[in-house]
Amino acid sequence: MTEVNMSAKENGSAGTTFLVAPTADRERMDKLGLGGAALAGDRLFAGAMAIDLTTLSRVADARSVADETRICFDSVRATLERAGGTLRDIAKMTCYVSAQEYIAETWRTLEEIFAPGPCPKRITLVAGLAGDCRVEFEVMAVTPREDGR
């Protein structure tokens, strides 16, 4: 997955900055209800899907649920890095799968991504997802403050 350059866009709310890719199709994102990541103080809220927003279908590299999960976390990792954090800063995540049968493969892949552990607190829900995506993630992270705490 290609690294995305993120930039901050102030939305006018006190203390909240939205991080969006400068090349993002904001009109399409708004139409689909997608807002990018939000940074409120040291709290980062981000989501990820392996979806092509033009075709509204899963990206070609997401052949397996494991591939799809890794693609999502490549995106999450890049967002966290731009906010000064790492995957280890994730406190909680919500995992959405489009079918019960995808849970085991998703969890195995998350355990690999977060090895040697621990894996962040997570809840997994079966839900309808956009396009033909099988997994979607929402993460909440606490990024390091400027004073290093």
Side-chain angles (χ1 to χ4, degrees), residues 4-113:
V4 179
N5 291 322
M6 304 292 280
S7 62
K9 175 186 172 189
E10 294 294 333
N11 74 336
S13 299
T16 301
T17 301
F18 288 95
L19 304 174
V20 296
T23 58
D25 182 340
R26 294 299 304 157
E27 184 177 325
R28 180 173 295 280
M29 288 179 71
D30 289 343
K31 184 177 180 180
L32 297 171
L34 303 173
L39 184 61
D42 60 356
R43 305 296 194 264
L44 178 72
F45 304 89
M49 293 179 76
I51 193 167
D52 179 321
L53 293 180
T54 302
T55 63
L56 292 181
S57 60
R58 191 172 59 238
V59 296
D61 290 344
R63 290 175 290 282
S64 68
V65 171
D67 292 339
E68 195 170 346
T69 299
R70 285 185 200 97
I71 290 166
C72 289
F73 274 87
D74 285 346
S75 175
V76 168
R77 183 181 290 114
T79 300
L80 280 160
E81 286 174 359
R82 279 161 186 75
T86 71
L87 290 179
R88 298 283 175 220
D89 296 315
I90 296 173
K92 180 195 178 294
M93 61 184 156
T94 304
C95 312
Y96 300 97
V97 294
S98 62
Q100 181 85 21
E101 65 200 57
Y102 300 136
I103 293 174
E105 187 174 359
T106 301
W107 283 12
R108 274 192 307 273
T109 308
L110 288 171
E111 288 168 6
E112 292 170 10
I113 291 168

